[in-house]
């Protein structure tokens, strides 16, 4: 039975403010309004905009129209706002509309290009100039906004289609992280100070609620569960299809199935967005399995699962999940390649979702823990080598004063003959040595989240602009002042 995790996959609703100004052409303004709505709908966005019965040509150019627009956005609960300067635009109306929504959602601003080269008789927009006034008005009301990569364009341009995809990801991250609910099962392992976090400041900053559960309750529930219950047997079959269990003891697979049934119920009962689980070594000593395969399976269904009760790791994974709408993993920055200073081993015991796999996933023993608990109690990791392709790496942490910061890095998994156990990929990061020094100097821990694809820009914008994090990346000179362009996606 799969979890119904649809929050990050739902069609996103965005409000459109077609910023108009008297003595410019209503006809040209209406044309660009319609073109912007068409572009939004083509991008899979639900466009929410005043129609011609509410405002002049469905645009916003007066105080009354701004109030009506704000009410519409508020009533529909839009998750982002797009401001299109369809001509010079009335900057006060834009500011009033944004402020009066009271929604505190991301705002994208762009200007519509002139129809043709200017002549003395050309109907003109002057939106290049007007967008500057709109940006200044938004600044004066302390509204944060995103500027399109190509700020002056036609809504039908390819650059604007890319912008809409990027901005949708920003909106998903900002709205999804604010008020998220993360389940913490078990205390962090005592040896891992890197997994410490301040629960109160996390809630004060982002509205995140941490739902805690003692690991003993999970272990007890698994031990009490009927091994032959239909839901357990169905899960055993699902696990056996997910990874090769031929070498694993049947009892270990059945215990993992029971743990998965329990975790699914915990997620449903508390409406959780991600989990952080004390995955060693108590669960091996007291239940006799590793939880890795189960955690990877939930990750492939949209519930990121962080190791070692790492709540900020779960937040990092959840952010990438929201941006990419795909599975995410948590890894160690494990090893730099001996012969290539820009190649790093992104590794963990065997908890990566199998959707990342290039080689056939197989259930195995956690070789490190087996030295302490015995091999019979350490079954449950899923081992494979990750497939080649672009990835985004991200990690959120707090400093000793509780302030939040993030490192966001575009990278690429590539094939390499170097081998190890567990689940891993060799990730190429230009200027890795400089980044590694920054990770140390800026005080980031050894865990990092990763997702397939290029979503670095969206995560950067969400953290750095809207969530007020300090953000760092490779090759950066001034923190928070540059949006990185991922070099691997083309």
């Amino acid at each position: 039975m799969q979890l119904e995790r649809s929050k990050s996959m739902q069609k996103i609703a965005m409000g459109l403010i077609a910023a108009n100004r008297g003595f410019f052409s209503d006809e040209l303004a209406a044309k660009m309004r319609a073109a912007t709505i068409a572009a939004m709908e083509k991008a899979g966005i639900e466009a929410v905009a005043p129609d011609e019965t509410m405002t002049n040509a469905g645009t916003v150019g007066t105080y009354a129209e701004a109030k009506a627009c704000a009410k519409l956005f508020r009533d529909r609960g839009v998750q982002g706002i797009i401001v299109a300067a369809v001509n010079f635009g009335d900057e006060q109306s834009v500011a009033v509309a944004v402020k009066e929504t009271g929604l505190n959602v991301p705002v994208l601003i762009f200007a519509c290009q002139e129809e043709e080269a200017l002549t003395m008789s050309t109907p003109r927009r002057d939106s290049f100039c007007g967008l500057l006034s709109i940006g200044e008005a938004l600044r004066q009301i302390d509204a944060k906004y995103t500027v399109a990569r190509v700020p002056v364009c036609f809504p039908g341009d390819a650059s604007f289609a890319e912008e809409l995809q990027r901005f949708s990801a920003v909106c998903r991250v900002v709205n999804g992280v604010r008020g998220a609910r993360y389940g913490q099962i078990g205390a962090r392992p005592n040896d891992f100070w890197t997994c410490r976090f301040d629960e109160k400041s996390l809630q004060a900053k982002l509205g995140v609620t941490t739902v805690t559960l003692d690991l003993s309750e999970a272990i007890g529930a698994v031990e009490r569960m009927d091994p032959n219950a239909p839901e357990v047997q169905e899960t055993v079959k699902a696990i056996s299809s997910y990874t090769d269990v031929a070498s694993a003891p049947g009892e270990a697979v059945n215990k993992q199935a029971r743990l998965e049934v329990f975790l699914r119920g915990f997620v449903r009962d508390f409406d959780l967005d991600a989990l952080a689980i004390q995955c060693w070594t108590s669960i091996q000593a007291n239940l006799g399995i590793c939880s890795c395969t189960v955690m990877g399976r939930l990750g492939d269904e949209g519930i990121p699962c962080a190791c070692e009760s790492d709540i900020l790791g779960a937040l990092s994974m959840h952010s990438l999940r929201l941006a990419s709408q795909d599975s995410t993993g948590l890894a160690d920055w494990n090893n730099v390649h001996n012969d290539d200073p820009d190649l790093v081993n992104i590794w963990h015991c065997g908890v990566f979702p199998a959707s990342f796999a290039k080689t056939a996933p197989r259930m195995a023993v956690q070789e490190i823990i087996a030295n302490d608990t015995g091999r019979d109690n350490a079954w449950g990791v899923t081992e494979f080598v990750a497939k080649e392709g672009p990835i985004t790496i991200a990690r959120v942490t707090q400093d000793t004063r509780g302030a939040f910061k993030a490192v966001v890095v575009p990278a690429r998994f590539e094939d390499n003959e170097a081998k190890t156990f567990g689940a891993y990929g060799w990730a190429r990061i230009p200027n890795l040595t400089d980044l590694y020094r920054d990770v140390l100097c800026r005080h980031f821990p050894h865990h990092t989240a990763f997702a397939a694809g290029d979503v670095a820009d969206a995560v950067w914008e969400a953290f750095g602009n809207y969530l007020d994090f300090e953000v760092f990346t490779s090759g950066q000179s001034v923190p928070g002042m540059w949006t990185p362009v991922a070099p691997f996606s083309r």
Side-chain angles (χ1 to χ4, degrees):
M1 180 184 296
Q2 287 200 339
L3 290 164
E4 295 182 2
R5 301 305 301 174
S6 59
K7 284 193 282 186
S8 66
M9 304 297 285
Q10 290 175 343
K11 190 174 184 179
I12 193 167
M14 292 193 196
L16 172 63
I17 301 174
N20 196 0
R21 199 178 189 99
F23 63 75
F24 286 93
S25 168
D26 286 342
E27 181 181 354
L28 287 180
K31 178 181 177 181
M32 288 296 97
R33 172 189 176 277
T36 305
I37 290 174
M40 293 169 68
E41 292 176 345
K42 187 176 181 180
I45 298 167
E46 179 186 352
V48 178
D51 61 27
E52 293 81 355
T53 66
M54 293 179 60
T55 65
N56 175 34
T59 63
V60 176
T62 68
Y63 178 77
E65 290 174 340
K67 295 279 285 186
C69 181
K71 183 178 185 304
L72 174 65
F73 292 175
R74 189 168 58 250
D75 290 347
R76 296 287 294 274
V78 300
Q79 296 159 283
I81 296 172
I82 296 175
V83 177
V86 294
N87 51 42
F88 194 99
D90 182 74
E91 66 268 21
Q92 291 186 46
S93 299
V94 171
V96 169
V98 169
K99 185 175 182 178
E100 289 294 316
T101 64
L103 295 175
N104 192 27
V105 295
V107 177
L108 172 68
I109 66 171
F110 81 102
C112 296
Q113 180 62 280
E114 302 289 352
E115 295 289 313
E116 59 187 53
L118 294 182
T119 68
M120 295 299 293
S121 59
T122 300
R124 56 195 295 159
R125 294 196 170 97
D126 290 356
S127 58
F128 181 93
C129 185
L131 193 65
L132 298 171
S133 295
I134 288 170
E136 173 63 11
L138 291 173
R139 184 194 67 79
Q140 290 186 23
I141 64 167
D142 200 28
K144 298 169 183 175
Y145 58 85
T146 298
V147 180
R149 283 290 184 80
V150 182
V152 182
C153 63
F154 290 111
D157 289 349
S159 67
F160 189 66
E162 292 180 2
E163 197 65 57
L164 289 176
Q165 294 299 333
R166 185 182 299 111
F167 185 64
S168 294
V170 172
C171 292
R172 289 193 300 268
V173 174
V174 172
N175 292 294
V177 168
R178 286 176 178 161
R181 295 172 59 81
Y182 300 143
Q184 180 182 342
I185 301 178
R188 63 164 179 81
N190 183 57
D191 292 339
F192 285 79
W193 280 21
T194 54
C195 297
R196 284 173 161 178
F197 81 106
D198 184 340
E199 185 176 342
K200 288 183 177 180
S201 67
L202 181 60
Q203 187 164 53
K205 174 71 170 179
L206 299 175
V208 169
T209 297
T210 306
V211 180
T212 61
L213 184 75
D214 193 89
L215 183 62
S216 64
E217 296 189 46
I219 292 173
V222 170
E223 290 180 328
R224 290 190 300 271
M225 199 177 297
D226 181 1
N228 297 310
E231 191 174 9
V232 174
Q233 291 300 311
E234 180 184 337
T235 306
V236 168
K237 292 179 182 178
I239 291 173
S240 301
S241 298
Y242 182 80
T243 185
D244 181 359
V245 299
S247 300
E251 173 65 11
V253 177
N254 187 278
K255 281 184 180 179
Q256 287 172 72
R258 282 180 272 161
L259 176 63
E260 182 172 319
V261 170
F262 172 79
L263 292 178
R264 289 175 182 276
F266 183 52
V267 169
R268 283 193 299 268
D269 290 347
F270 290 94
D271 192 26
L272 301 176
D273 296 287
L275 295 173
I277 300 173
Q278 184 191 348
C279 55
W280 79 341
T281 55
S282 176
I283 197 168
Q284 289 80 20
N286 294 295
L287 188 58
I289 58 168
C290 291
S291 56
C292 303
T293 293
V294 172
M295 293 165 70
R297 277 175 48 76
L298 291 176
D300 264 334
E301 292 183 24
I303 300 295
C305 294
C307 308
E308 293 137 16
S309 297
D310 184 359
I311 285 290
L312 295 185
L315 188 159
S316 306
M317 296 171 76
H318 184 217
S319 301
L320 287 174
R321 163 69 185 177
L322 291 163
S324 67
Q325 297 189 292
D326 209 341
S327 304
T328 62
L330 191 74
D332 289 353
W333 295 95
N334 189 252
N335 262 289
V336 65
H337 196 282
N338 284 57
D339 302 321
D340 192 332
D342 284 346
L343 203 58
V344 61
N345 191 229
I346 300 297
W347 174 94
H348 232 164
C349 319
V351 71
F352 294 175
S355 56
F356 286 101
K358 174 184 178 182
T359 58
R362 69 178 188 93
M363 187 173 289
V365 168
Q366 214 287 9
E367 297 291 349
I368 301 173
I369 292 176
N371 293 327
D372 292 329
T373 64
R375 295 181 66 82
D376 289 346
N377 295 322
W379 281 95
V381 301
T382 292
E383 294 193 328
F384 59 80
V385 179
K387 58 191 172 185
E388 296 90 344
I391 61 171
T392 303
I393 296 170
R395 174 68 201 197
V396 172
T397 193
Q398 294 169 290
D399 65 20
T400 55
R401 299 177 301 280
F404 286 84
K405 54 187 174 182
V407 59
V408 181
V409 184
R412 184 181 182 88
F413 277 144
E414 61 179 49
D415 188 37
N416 192 274
E417 62 182 13
K419 307 295 181 186
T420 186
F421 63 93
Y424 66 92
W426 286 98
R428 180 162 299 282
I429 301 173
N431 303 312
L432 173 61
T433 300
D434 290 343
L435 174 68
Y436 182 64
R437 290 191 73 257
D438 276 350
V439 166
L440 284 165
C441 292
R442 306 295 185 182
H443 310 141
F444 286 97
H446 75 297
H447 277 170
T448 191
F450 67 94
D454 172 11
V455 292
D457 290 355
V459 176
W460 176 282
E461 183 81 10
F463 284 154
N465 190 7
Y466 294 102
L467 299 179
D468 292 324
F469 289 18
E470 265 196 304
V471 188
F472 304 91
T473 194
S474 53
Q476 176 184 349
S477 58
V478 182
M481 298 299 292
W482 175 65
T483 302
V485 178
F488 299 113
S489 60
R490 297 294 184 264

